[in-house]
Amino acid sequence: MLEFKSRRRGLFTALALLLAPLISGLSPAAEPADAFAHPPELEPDVRFWIRVYTEVTTDQGLLHDDWNLGLVYEVLRFDPADSPRQRERVVAQVKSHYAELLRRFASGATDNLTAHERRILHAFGEKTTPAQFRDAIDRIRFQLGQADRFHEGLLRAQAYEASISRVLADRGVPAEIGALPHVESSFNPAAYSRVGAAGLWQFMPGTARRYMRVDSLVDQRLDPYSATEAAANLMLYNYRLLGSWPLAVTAYNHGPGGLRRAQDELGTSNIAVIVKRYQGATFGFASRNFYVAFLAALEVDRNAEKYFGPLTHLPDAQSTVVVLPDYIPVDALAKAFKADLGALHVLNPALRPPIWSHARFVPRGYALRVPGTPQAADIDAAWARLPPTMRYTVQRNDGPHRARRGETLASIAAASGVPLKQLLAANGWNGTRELARGELVRIPMPASRAEASVAGATTPATPAPAATAPPATVAAVPAEAPAEAAIARLPPPPKEPVSERQAASTALLPAAAPTGNADTTDYSVAADNTVVVQAAETLGHFADWSKVGSQSLRTLNKLHKSAMVTLGHKVKLDLSKVSAAQFEASRRDFHRQLQETFFATHRISGTENYVVKRGESLWIIAQQHSDLPVWLVAEYNPDVDFADVRPGTVIALPRVEGINRQ
């Protein structure tokens, strides 16, 4: 028989942690002032990372125990001219030396030790067993210093800290989170990691697409302003699921699903207990140290002059955001706003190479940053200088199009924004003809508003006043420097591909990026071959993934032929033809594709609280709010039993916006 899945979480529930501040009307930021206090158990780890960030440069490093960070074997110093391979050889040699020393300790050979060796022996304590010494051999780890890079990051941070503070405050995220880019990227908006993370906040593509646009034309991970908004939304999501800011920060690296498993397994939300005791398969050094590294970065950021002496505080250059009403060539925008093309390039790092090579237009709706702080009249004048021949109703696409079933030349012409005659001429055709499925059709340049008006294809639109945003700091430069010179001193946009050496230099921690999937759903098969039904799943899906007939599952679960399985119910599987691992892989792939399809055209812009009314179900709530997918609402409320939701229950609803992908 079907059974309800228990939603209880032992000694605590993330739901209770969520509802307390929501019911009282407080924002998440209204936590106790010590929301980021240092647990005493973690203090030695925090001090280790403060040392990494302030005392040891990138030409040095610490050889240490990867579990007891208070045990540092040696400070290694490299010749700045050494290659990475030469450095690796030095590290390997020194590791080998200390491994042999630990073997001596394990064998009891502790006579004739140097003062340095005695210090290491005493650091282990008097009751250390031979087995513990041998185990320590595998824990010898090297950490490259970061002091010079952190200092550079403090200077770069001046360009973004005001904007970051404003975004975090607007969304109710603690101001302390603004120090996280020190850990992620040293405040380098052009940073790439070897695992594919990018930008100031080091978003992975999959996570990023939930909150911003990431494709071949626009990658907002590289725009520090858009990425900051996304990071704030992700942090709020983590906090709502986990109930504490230390766990939300850790989830930024490890993923909220992993942290919820840690809560369940250990029966606590105490960050110190989780860091020291959780043994998750992927909860490695980076995840275990992410929160303490953040605390260290926060300490150094707040007391920068204590660690680095007086910092140079420079005046700011300003930029203004204008939202494009049409598809427009980037060089035409530069002329209209009287801006240097290079300055636009630096201010808009999210625009990808096809835009700058003029193969594509800047997309309609894109929030373009222009130098300075032009007034409304100046912006109107800029639009007036932009000729209608440079404004397009669709994106440029001069590549071939493969005809799909049901498409006609007329429909392709309309979708491409070109007159039918122009489409026919581009393909050497004299008249209309039927298209075969899969036939290639060359798409010429789309019609501008001026051409479309002459052809009668559309009514010419007057340039709508572009939305503007408050001036934002984009660079720190001498006061007498003109705006163009100020912008020119910003880091240039990243060039691809990024070399392995460049990639390795951008992260202070290995894999220091939001690597975990934001989806916290458990798609695993239980030991008794049962699964809990998740949103968007049907009995037919289970049958397909099991490679058995639906009737077989109905019989196994004693279901009537018209009965449906619903969210939260338990279903017994017939795994006679596939393994549990194969079933899980098919199931995860289904949900991955479902989510990728949705986030190809939508993004999450925030969250709101909703009080369930009498008679409302999960499906009704989703339909009433901009056709939210049921699975997304369920994902934001993993502890709510929607099979038995009660009136008055407070749930979190993501605010979803459509985005233009052309």
Side-chain angles (χ1 to χ4, degrees):
M1 294 293 291
L2 299 180
E3 300 174 2
F4 284 113
K5 179 186 179 185
S6 172
R7 299 282 181 168
R8 298 188 180 185
R9 298 175 58 80
L11 299 176
F12 67 97
T13 66
L15 179 60
L17 292 168
L18 167 65
L19 295 185
L22 298 182
I23 293 174
S24 63
L26 299 177
S27 71
E31 270 202 351
D34 62 349
F36 294 101
H38 298 203
E41 306 93 319
L42 301 182
E43 192 61 34
D45 299 351
V46 175
R47 289 199 300 270
F48 172 87
W49 287 104
I50 290 176
R51 186 178 181 187
V52 169
Y53 291 158
T54 63
E55 298 178 14
V56 189
T57 71
T58 52
D59 287 327
Q60 303 169 333
L62 303 178
L63 203 68
H64 65 96
D65 185 286
D66 75 354
W67 190 262
N68 175 13
L69 299 189
L71 175 55
V72 175
Y73 294 103
E74 186 175 330
V75 178
L76 277 63
R77 294 173 173 81
F78 305 107
D79 186 325
D82 284 350
S83 68
R85 182 167 296 180
Q86 289 173 314
R87 292 187 176 198
E88 288 172 4
R89 282 199 293 266
V90 171
V91 171
Q93 291 170 358
V94 181
K95 277 186 176 182
S96 178
H97 166 74
Y98 284 102
E100 181 57 33
L101 180 64
L102 292 177
R103 291 189 189 97
R104 287 173 54 196
F105 292 166
S107 68
T110 57
D111 295 333
N112 301 318
L113 297 179
T114 67
H116 177 63
E117 291 169 341
R118 283 196 300 272
R119 180 187 67 79
I120 294 173
L121 178 62
H122 292 156
F124 277 92
E126 295 181 358
K127 297 183 179 180
T128 306
T129 66
Q132 289 172 327
F133 282 123
R134 287 192 292 269
D135 289 344
I137 293 173
D138 293 330
R139 298 200 306 267
I140 300 175
R141 180 183 180 274
F142 174 74
Q143 172 61 49
L144 187 68
Q146 302 292 331
D148 48 340
R149 190 172 297 153
F150 201 102
H151 181 259
E152 294 168 359
L154 287 168
L155 300 178
R156 280 193 293 262
Q158 297 177 55
Y160 310 109
E161 56 191 9
S163 175
I164 290 174
S165 296
R166 183 170 58 249
V167 169
L168 297 181
D170 287 347
R171 284 162 173 75
V173 176
E176 290 89 339
I177 297 297
L180 191 59
H182 283 300
V183 181
E184 289 291 349
S185 66
S186 295
F187 273 89
N188 179 6
Y192 276 92
S193 81
R194 61 165 60 91
V195 295
L200 202 74
W201 293 90
Q202 286 291 280
F203 271 93
M204 295 292 285
T207 305
R209 288 189 179 98
R210 288 176 164 252
Y211 303 100
M212 48 190 162
R213 179 173 176 175
V214 180
D215 55 38
S216 61
L217 296 185
V218 177
D219 187 347
Q220 289 185 308
R221 297 179 300 164
L222 302 173
D223 176 7
Y225 307 102
S226 298
T228 295
E229 294 176 356
N233 287 329
L234 177 56
M235 278 296 183
L236 282 176
Y237 174 72
N238 289 347
Y239 177 80
R240 289 177 181 276
L241 292 185
L242 300 167
S244 82
W245 287 112
L247 292 182
V249 169
T250 308
Y252 195 84
N253 171 267
H254 187 66
L259 268 297
R260 283 173 64 85
R261 286 190 290 275
Q263 286 177 315
D264 285 339
E265 182 178 313
L266 300 176
T268 183
S269 291
N270 185 300
I271 183 63
V273 173
I274 289 175
V275 165
K276 293 300 183 182
R277 291 180 52 193
Y278 183 50
Q279 298 293 318
T282 59
F283 197 71
F285 183 84
S287 297
R288 198 169 70 240
N289 279 272
F290 197 76
Y291 181 64
V292 291
F294 163 73
L295 289 180
L298 181 60
E299 158 67 19
V300 178
D301 181 78
R302 286 178 164 178
N303 302 281
E305 296 197 352
K306 168 185 171 182
Y307 294 101
F308 292 103
L311 298 177
T312 303
H313 294 279
L314 302 172
D316 302 327
Q318 303 289 325
S319 70
T320 299
V321 171
V322 292
V323 179
L324 304 193
D326 293 298
Y327 296 88
I328 303 172
V330 68
D331 52 348
L333 288 167
K335 292 178 182 177
F337 284 92
K338 297 182 178 179
D340 179 76
L341 193 60
L344 281 186
H345 199 173
V346 171
L347 287 175
N348 296 275
L351 296 177
R352 308 310 294 135
I355 303 292
W356 303 106
S357 68
H358 312 298
R360 296 290 183 269
F361 304 138
V362 182
R364 180 173 57 201
Y366 179 77
L368 183 79
R369 286 190 175 271
V370 296
T373 56
Q375 302 301 309
D378 300 321
I379 294 175
D380 290 341
W383 290 128
R385 285 192 292 270
L386 185 70
T389 54
M390 290 290 102
R391 295 167 37 119
Y392 296 85
T393 57
V394 295
Q395 180 60 270
R396 178 176 184 173
N397 185 351
D398 55 2
H401 170 79
R402 194 173 294 277
R404 295 185 289 268
R405 185 189 300 276
E407 281 190 323
T408 65
L409 286 170
S411 67
I412 293 175
S416 305
V418 299
L420 179 57
K421 289 183 179 180
Q422 188 177 351
L423 182 68
L424 292 170
N427 288 275
W429 298 327
N430 295 323
T432 58
R433 54 191 289 272
E434 290 188 5
L435 288 175
R437 184 181 180 184
E439 186 174 359
L440 290 178
V441 180
R442 185 178 181 278
I443 309 296
M445 187 81 161
S448 68
R449 287 199 176 275
E451 294 166 327
S453 177
V454 170
T458 184
T459 304
T462 326
T468 61
T473 301
V474 294
V477 295
E480 66 272 12
E484 299 291 349
I487 293 164
R489 296 184 58 177
L490 281 171
K495 296 180 179 180
E496 298 176 315
V498 179
S499 71
E500 181 72 10
R501 185 172 182 179
Q502 289 173 308
S505 71
T506 60
L508 306 197
L509 275 171
T515 56
N517 194 324
D519 183 359
T520 61
T521 308
D522 183 2
Y523 296 119
S524 62
V525 177
D528 61 353
N529 286 352
T530 60
V531 292
V532 175
V533 179
Q534 304 299 341
E537 294 180 339
T538 66
L539 200 67
H541 288 125
F542 295 151
D544 288 343
W545 303 333
S546 305
K547 300 189 185 302
V548 299
S550 296
Q551 187 56 47
S552 172
L553 293 184
R554 289 188 180 277
T555 302
L556 184 61
N557 289 275
K558 300 179 182 179
L559 284 171
H560 186 269
K561 63 179 181 181
S562 60
M564 299 176 62
V565 296
T566 56
L567 180 68
H569 286 137
K570 187 179 290 186
V571 173
K572 181 80 171 179
L573 300 176
D574 175 357
L575 296 181
S576 60
K577 296 186 177 180
V578 300
S579 67
Q582 289 171 322
F583 178 92
E584 290 172 4
S586 297
R587 192 184 192 192
R588 288 193 177 95
D589 188 59
F590 166 78
H591 286 279
R592 178 186 59 78
Q593 292 185 32
L594 187 72
Q595 295 173 24
E596 287 181 354
T597 299
F598 180 77
F599 287 117
T601 54
H602 298 81
R603 73 178 180 97
I604 298 170
S605 60
T607 311
E608 62 185 72
N609 302 321
Y610 181 78
V611 180
V612 177
K613 302 178 182 63
R614 186 179 301 278
E616 288 186 328
S617 65
L618 172 59
W619 186 85
I620 291 174
I621 293 169
Q623 292 298 310
Q624 288 176 343
H625 291 79
S626 304
D627 292 326
L628 277 174
V630 172
W631 57 263
L632 187 58
V633 179
E635 184 180 295
Y636 265 70
N637 301 274
D639 296 303
V640 176
D641 184 355
F642 283 102
D644 189 29
V645 66
R646 305 295 177 86
T649 300
V650 180
I651 64 174
L653 292 180
R655 288 197 300 270
V656 172
E657 298 176 351
I659 56 175
N660 171 33
R661 291 290 186 185
Q662 292 186 317

